[in-house]
Amino acid sequence: MPLVRKPGRYLGTEVNRACRPWEDAMIRFCLLFPDLYEIGMSHLGLHILYSIINSTSWALADRAYCPDTDMEQRLREKNIPLWGLETGRSLKEFDVLAITLPYELCYSNILTMLDLGEIPFLSEERVKGEWPIILGGGSCSVQPEPVADFFDAVLVGDGEEKIIEIGRFIKEAKGQKLPKDEILYQLSQIQGVYVPSLYKPIYSNGLFKGIEPKRADVPQIVERAIVPDLEKAPFPSRPLLPTVNIVHDRLGLEIARGCTRGCRFCQAGITYRPVRERPLSTVLEMAEKGLDSTGWEELSLLSLSTGDYSCITTLIEALTTKYLPQKTAVSLPSLRVGTLTPRIMELIRGIRKTGFTLAPEAGSERLRKVINKGITEEDLLDTAEEVFSHGWNNIKLYFMIGLPTETLDDLAAIAELARKVLARAKRGQVTISIGTFVPKPHTPFQWEGQISEEESRECLRFLKRNLGSRAIKMKWHEPRQSFLEGVFSRGDRRLGNVLQRAWRKGARLDAWTDRLDTTLYMEAAKEEGLDIKAYLLERDLHGPLPWDHISMGVKKDFLQSERQRAWELAYTSDCRRNKCHKCGVCDFKQIRPVVQKKCLDRIKEHSSSLEEKSKTAQISTILLTYSKLGAARFLGHLDTLHTFHRAIRRARIPVAYSQGFHPMPKVSFGQPIPLGTESLAEQAAIMVTEPVDIQELADSLNQTIPEGLYIEEAAVAAGKKAIKEAAVTHYLILPWRGNNEKMAEALNIFQDSPEWMVEITRKGKTLSLNAKEMFCDVQLVNPEDIDQEIRNRWKPAREALEKSQFLLALSLKHKDTAQIKPTEFIKTLLSLSDEEMKLSRILKIGQERPLGEFL
Ligand code: SF4
């Protein structure tokens, strides 16, 4: 762990983790997210399945995320198979590996994870032997052909109900010791489950000609699974709280699923139909449970179009009123123009000014009609003016280039619209964010061509030249990524071999711009004799498509008629409150749009009185001394700080908050210790607004703070500055494979030398500092001579302590200039390599009092 970037990703010590006993479960899932921890932990779908499986008495769910390349390399060097974070079991030991398919550019990571799990890639290679069932699911499961060969089964559609049905069946099959082919056949009989090995693609003259079942008794068409009503769908009441900072580090609440606004490019707008809103009371309950159990300082209302939620104003009003005293921010993803009312702006501005994104998608009125965006320029400009007038000074506008029928005039209209938006601000900035249109399966534009990488770049250059103001900034999605996304979006099974070849050539973490190398895919395709650029071409309206055997419930002729209406610039209204357009999804018995008709009356609870209280209450400061041991040593300073902030909120400590748009709990910390260093003597000071019982405060924090962190002492701070910088700090060091003779010899040389220069790098500058001026009392000590209490408390290092005859004890004197870290010092003292330095255990044992008092 000390040798890899962000070791916190691999600890599995998150607050609210299930940690179910292995032996108690009859079926064990490992949920795999094929991207880095920061992305995977932000994915709501995985949290939902994790919570559902772990609430089932006979099942357990663990998790694994794709390791970064440095960790991958180390695992290979050390022959360590990839493991489930909580159980520590290698992937091979699970019954089911449920892999999320969130976007196309994560496909190479699936191979990385399988390979590190020592699992053969192809389903056909796993027919014999005891391999886990490899189950896919998630957004890309609606067109899984490019990765079909790697999966035993793919769950298409909503997973809440099906995951348990699948689990129950596999449990029984395991009990009956059914052969793999029988298991797969029976899985194919569950609605929503696609078993790729039971279907055969047909090609002729290098062209895809269709796909057909290999047996008469498997469905011709796989129908997607739909949860008819979200009210009954489970939602995690104790969500996992990440250990390290993640991309969406907040409580995500899914308030509705599906959107029927009818944007013709939007895949989710078809594949999640119909709209199903959660009742307001359920959302409020979810918010309360989620915040109470995590301490998150922000919650985000999630849905494909949050502003369209029937009770949105009442909901935001209720949430902001309730959570104002705790300074919990309510954030909304990009809102549709027309749904953003002045009242909503007022409410969210009251707590925290999160950014504002509007998505006109196209610059010209004509092109917005083609895509059925249904917003006029005037609507957009009025909304922008309203946003600026409410105090925001930066609006982000999202556009697409390469949309069907686009002309140069449409491109010029993007820049013009950005200028008009800017003109509505007295003082402000506009950022335009540009993505390339990628035609997606199951949409009215699924037959359209995609512009090439070079054409994307040409459009971007044109836009840059035409922005016309320095106050308009431009960002864009990398065209190379859109190219690859386009290939895999509408690709067929032949891409599986291309993917394998590209992966063997080194394709990794392709969704990260700095990692993607499309030449690997071009070379791989050439070797496979495939022209991958051809996947971007326009498709025959009546020809076979690689996803024809997977149904979203929406009829193909509805998609074709919507395509025709695009050319006619005809508007198709939202069916949730207007007439049904007969797309085919609803049966109006079980499946139908679910919209909330009753919103609660305005809720105005005690916010003003509480706010008043927090202003007038007497503020005092509590000084905490805490230890940071074991896995917690891999939490960086900022992650430790977030961990404390959230633990304080969970423990309901009446902490004071700073003023301004980003109110923060008033908690200060002592000098950060380096990542990897353990400590028995860290300090934090909490300002509280009410009298508190000190012991109760420490106890309640200890009940909620993650493993490895522990409040050792709490006291009311005397004086204004609660944390004073120590003049001297004491450390114990267990060098990696320390050689006692070598240590004694090195120490003698150090002690006899008049100076001991150590080169360190700070802010890019190399400095040479004299360690003799900073380190004193450097001595070898026998582990037995160390204070018994310290030895007991340094439990995580017990094994290493037992093995060693001597440790190094030393004191570091603090100076106002740059300081040598204890790790840097022992590296030169004992001539350690970088790796040996990082693997050494270092414990801060105390400060100020003489070192002898700790030994
Ligand atoms: S069937 Fe009708 S109501 Fe249902 S999603 Fe389709 S258009 Fe909307």
Side-chain angles (χ1 to χ4, degrees):
M1 291 293 180
L3 304 178
V4 295
R5 287 188 291 269
K6 293 200 189 172
R9 290 163 169 166
Y10 311 105
L11 301 179
T13 54
E14 294 85 355
V15 167
N16 296 335
R17 68 197 190 281
C19 268
R20 304 280 307 280
W22 183 265
E23 302 306 334
D24 290 0
M26 296 166 79
I27 179 117
R28 294 139 188 150
F29 285 80
C30 192
L31 306 177
L32 269 56
F33 192 91
D35 211 323
L36 298 180
Y37 178 89
E38 296 89 310
I39 311 290
M41 273 293 284
S42 302
H43 193 263
L44 185 60
L46 189 136
H47 288 260
I48 293 177
L49 294 185
Y50 175 85
S51 150
I52 292 175
I53 299 170
N54 283 320
S55 319
T56 309
S57 58
W58 42 265
L60 75 74
D62 196 347
R63 299 162 289 128
Y65 307 89
C66 186
D68 203 347
T69 42
D70 61 336
M71 181 59 128
E72 180 189 345
Q73 192 188 337
R74 288 210 72 82
L75 296 182
R76 291 188 191 287
E77 280 166 14
K78 302 282 170 194
N79 268 328
I80 301 172
L82 190 60
W83 68 96
L85 287 185
E86 295 174 24
T87 58
R89 303 279 181 152
S90 78
L91 297 188
K92 273 189 297 201
E93 294 180 69
F94 289 86
D95 300 300
V96 183
L97 299 183
I99 307 181
T100 309
L101 298 169
Y103 32 81
E104 294 80 358
L105 295 188
C106 73
Y107 288 169
S108 60
N109 306 334
I110 296 173
L111 301 189
T112 306
M113 295 185 84
L114 289 179
D115 190 60
L116 288 175
E118 300 174 344
I119 295 166
F121 286 163
L122 300 175
S123 174
E124 65 184 28
E125 296 171 317
R126 300 188 298 262
V127 172
K128 293 207 168 59
E130 300 257 309
W131 300 106
I133 299 285
I134 309 294
L135 175 70
S139 308
C140 289
S141 66
V142 301
Q143 201 308 69
E145 283 310 293
V147 287
D149 286 336
F150 310 125
F151 285 90
D152 298 317
V154 178
L155 171 57
V156 185
D158 299 332
E160 284 101 332
E161 292 168 357
K162 293 292 164 185
I163 196 73
I164 293 303
E165 192 177 341
I166 292 170
R168 187 173 290 116
F169 163 69
I170 295 175
K171 172 172 71 85
E172 281 157 19
K174 204 175 142 188
Q176 294 165 19
K177 297 200 172 16
L178 289 186
K180 180 80 167 272
D181 52 357
E182 183 58 23
I183 293 178
L184 295 187
Y185 164 71
Q186 294 213 23
L187 278 174
S188 77
Q189 302 302 300
I190 298 177
Q191 195 215 327
V193 179
Y194 169 49
V195 177
S197 59
L198 297 177
Y199 295 78
K200 183 178 176 323
I202 301 158
Y203 307 98
S204 170
N205 294 328
L207 297 175
F208 174 81
K209 291 292 175 190
I211 195 158
E212 54 188 36
K214 290 181 187 169
R215 294 169 55 155
D217 51 0
V218 295
Q220 284 270 344
I221 304 283
V222 177
E223 296 286 345
R224 134 190 182 235
I226 303 179
V227 170
D229 190 348
L230 289 195
E231 184 176 2
K232 295 179 192 90
F235 197 83
S237 55
R238 300 180 63 79
L240 284 161
L241 186 67
T243 332
V244 295
N245 196 246
I246 60 169
V247 180
H248 299 300
D249 205 353
R250 58 186 86 109
L251 175 67
L253 297 178
E254 190 196 31
I255 59 172
R257 198 172 293 175
C259 169
T260 38
R261 284 285 187 169
C263 298
R264 293 179 176 124
F265 56 84
C266 179
Q267 188 181 45
I270 297 291
T271 57
Y272 290 97
R273 281 179 177 225
V275 170
R276 289 149 289 161
E277 292 181 347
R278 276 201 162 91
L280 183 68
S281 53
T282 313
V283 177
L284 291 173
E285 197 184 319
M286 281 156 48
E288 186 171 341
K289 287 182 177 165
L291 290 173
D292 279 358
S293 63
T294 57
W296 254 312
E297 50 292 287
E298 184 174 342
L299 67 84
S300 181
L301 301 176
L302 306 177
S303 98
L304 290 170
S305 178
T306 298
D308 281 321
Y309 180 69
S310 302
C311 309
I312 190 67
T313 310
T314 320
L315 174 62
I316 299 176
E317 200 156 280
L319 290 171
T320 48
T321 307
K322 181 162 185 189
Y323 295 109
L324 184 72
Q326 303 166 22
K327 311 289 180 201
T328 303
V330 177
S331 69
L332 308 168
S334 95
L335 285 179
R336 193 190 154 82
V337 172
T339 61
L340 189 57
T341 62
R343 178 66 187 141
I344 293 179
M345 285 183 229
E346 228 170 77
L347 288 168
I348 48 182
R349 206 185 68 120
I351 288 193
R352 196 175 295 189
K353 205 166 56 164
T354 45
F356 247 114
T357 304
L358 301 172
E361 318 280 2
S364 71
E365 201 91 28
R366 184 198 70 81
L367 198 50
R368 281 198 296 275
K369 284 185 178 162
V370 170
I371 62 177
N372 204 45
K373 193 68 200 174
I375 53 169
T376 64
E377 184 170 295
E378 227 18 67
D379 291 339
L380 182 94
L381 295 177
D382 288 348
T383 305
E385 190 169 330
E386 200 72 54
V387 172
F388 284 128
S389 73
H390 275 81
W392 277 269
N393 49 23
N394 188 355
I395 291 185
K396 191 168 166 190
L397 299 172
Y398 182 76
F399 294 99
M400 270 188 277
I401 51 174
L403 282 164
T405 77
E406 182 186 78
T407 63
L408 264 192
D409 289 345
D410 297 308
L411 278 184
I414 292 178
E416 202 184 323
L417 188 56
R419 287 195 294 273
K420 285 182 183 167
V421 168
L422 185 67
R424 297 283 177 118
K426 288 195 182 70
R427 211 164 20 91
Q429 192 180 303
V430 172
T431 304
I432 59 169
S433 178
I434 311 290
T436 301
F437 163 66
V438 175
K440 292 283 181 173
H442 305 289
T443 66
F445 289 162
Q446 65 181 353
W447 296 276
E448 302 312 309
Q450 178 178 339
I451 59 172
S452 67
E453 195 185 321
E454 190 37 53
E455 285 168 309
S456 284
R457 291 196 194 287
E458 187 48 50
C459 291
L460 292 173
R461 282 194 287 270
F462 175 86
L463 276 174
K464 259 196 234 167
R465 284 199 302 272
N466 284 275
L467 287 183
S469 166
R470 283 214 191 130
I472 304 176
K473 301 268 174 281
M474 184 171 132
K475 291 183 178 165
W476 59 92
H477 189 68
E478 176 55 46
R480 282 178 302 133
Q481 289 184 307
S482 305
F483 163 74
L484 203 61
E485 185 187 333
V487 169
F488 279 95
S489 278
R490 295 190 298 166
D492 51 49
R493 266 192 217 188
R494 290 173 295 181
L495 286 175
N497 286 345
V498 175
L499 183 67
Q500 280 197 69
R501 280 186 190 268
W503 180 84
R504 291 190 204 286
K505 288 170 186 287
R508 298 287 188 281
L509 299 168
D510 299 322
W512 298 80
T513 322
D514 53 335
R515 315 280 182 104
L516 174 65
D517 180 358
T518 42
T519 58
L520 302 177
Y521 286 90
M522 302 306 279
E523 285 168 23
K526 202 169 167 200
E527 286 162 21
E528 281 294 314
L530 264 186
D531 174 12
I532 56 168
K533 288 187 179 172
Y535 287 107
L536 302 193
L537 298 177
E538 188 179 337
R539 308 292 168 95
D540 177 358
L541 193 57
H542 304 290
L545 297 167
W547 52 93
D548 275 347
H549 57 302
I550 298 196
S551 167
M552 296 299 106
V554 175
K555 291 179 287 191
K556 205 168 184 178
D557 55 9
F558 172 80
L559 299 179
Q560 283 167 339
S561 97
E562 273 302 291
R563 180 177 181 267
Q564 185 55 37
R565 288 171 68 77
W567 314 148
E568 293 162 2
L569 308 186
Y571 179 61
T572 303
S573 61
D574 188 341
C575 64
R576 85 186 77 187
R577 290 187 197 93
N578 303 301
K579 70 168 189 167
C580 165
H581 301 291
K582 300 189 172 51
C583 77
V585 166
C586 301
D587 58 11
F588 295 98
K589 290 178 195 134
Q590 267 206 304
I591 316 279
R592 65 195 187 294
V594 180
V595 288
Q596 298 305 311
K597 296 196 176 61
K598 270 196 191 165
C599 301
L600 295 181
D601 292 328
R602 287 170 141 209
I603 303 163
K604 278 207 170 163
E605 283 175 2
H606 53 275
S607 68
S608 48
S609 63
L610 278 174
E611 198 183 19
E612 200 51 36
K613 197 171 168 185
S614 80
K615 275 182 196 151
T616 54
Q618 197 189 350
I619 291 183
S620 61
T621 303
I622 313 295
L623 181 63
L624 305 175
T625 303
Y626 68 95
S627 50
K628 190 179 183 194
L629 298 169
R633 74 189 189 277
F634 298 121
L635 299 181
H637 183 62
L638 275 181
D639 293 324
T640 309
L641 196 136
H642 283 136
T643 303
F644 261 94
H645 286 175
R646 289 164 186 173
I648 287 167
R649 293 165 70 91
R650 287 196 298 281
R652 294 175 182 263
I653 290 169
V655 64
Y657 280 86
S658 61
Q659 301 290 313
F661 278 121
H662 287 273
M664 299 293 286
K666 287 194 170 175
V667 185
S668 49
F669 288 82
Q671 276 291 96
I673 48 169
L675 191 78
T677 297
E678 291 164 279
S679 176
L680 294 171
E682 292 307 280
Q683 288 192 316
I686 305 179
M687 283 178 95
V688 289
T689 56
E690 290 172 21
V692 287
D693 180 307
I694 308 273
Q695 195 50 48
E696 267 178 26
L697 181 145
D699 291 346
S700 56
L701 262 182
N702 277 336
Q703 275 165 22
T704 165
I705 210 152
E707 197 179 305
L709 296 169
Y710 190 80
I711 311 300
E712 305 279 350
E713 270 176 44
V716 176
K720 269 191 175 171
K721 198 164 186 306
I723 300 180
K724 297 185 183 71
E725 198 163 313
V728 63
T729 314
H730 312 298
Y731 293 90
L732 284 180
I733 297 173
L734 263 169
W736 177 245
R737 298 208 179 107
N739 174 321
N740 297 322
E741 277 171 33
K742 195 172 143 192
M743 275 167 41
E745 196 183 321
L747 204 56
N748 284 339
I749 301 174
F750 173 75
Q751 269 148 4
D752 293 344
S753 306
E755 59 174 24
W756 190 275
M757 301 310 289
V758 178
E759 279 206 346
I760 61 167
T761 307
R762 297 287 183 269
K763 294 181 184 163
K765 281 189 189 156
T766 305
L767 307 168
S768 185
L769 302 175
N770 186 2
K772 294 283 279 192
E773 290 173 3
M774 294 182 189
F775 292 91
C776 55
D777 285 342
V778 187
Q779 54 186 287
L780 284 184
V781 288
N782 188 311
E784 309 253 302
D785 295 337
I786 302 168
D787 184 282
Q788 181 67 34
E789 205 191 321
I790 292 181
R791 270 195 294 155
N792 289 345
R793 279 152 78 196
W794 201 11
K795 274 192 206 117
R798 183 180 289 161
E799 208 183 309
L801 267 178
E802 278 167 8
K803 277 189 204 154
S804 75
Q805 282 178 300
F806 286 102
L807 312 93
L808 214 54
L810 52 83
S811 305
L812 171 62
K813 290 188 277 186
H814 287 270
K815 302 211 162 259
D816 289 336
T817 55
Q819 266 302 168
I820 306 170
K821 293 177 192 163
T823 42
E824 293 163 331
F825 173 55
I826 60 152
K827 184 182 171 199
T828 60
L829 182 75
L830 305 173
S831 309
L832 301 179
S833 65
D834 269 348
E835 191 164 303
E836 287 167 333
M837 174 185 83
K838 287 180 185 168
L839 289 167
S840 301
R841 293 295 283 258
I842 301 186
L843 175 72
K844 179 172 154 187
I845 47 175
Q847 53 200 31
E848 302 298 8
R849 286 151 48 205
L851 174 61
E853 288 189 23
F854 298 95
L855 301 177

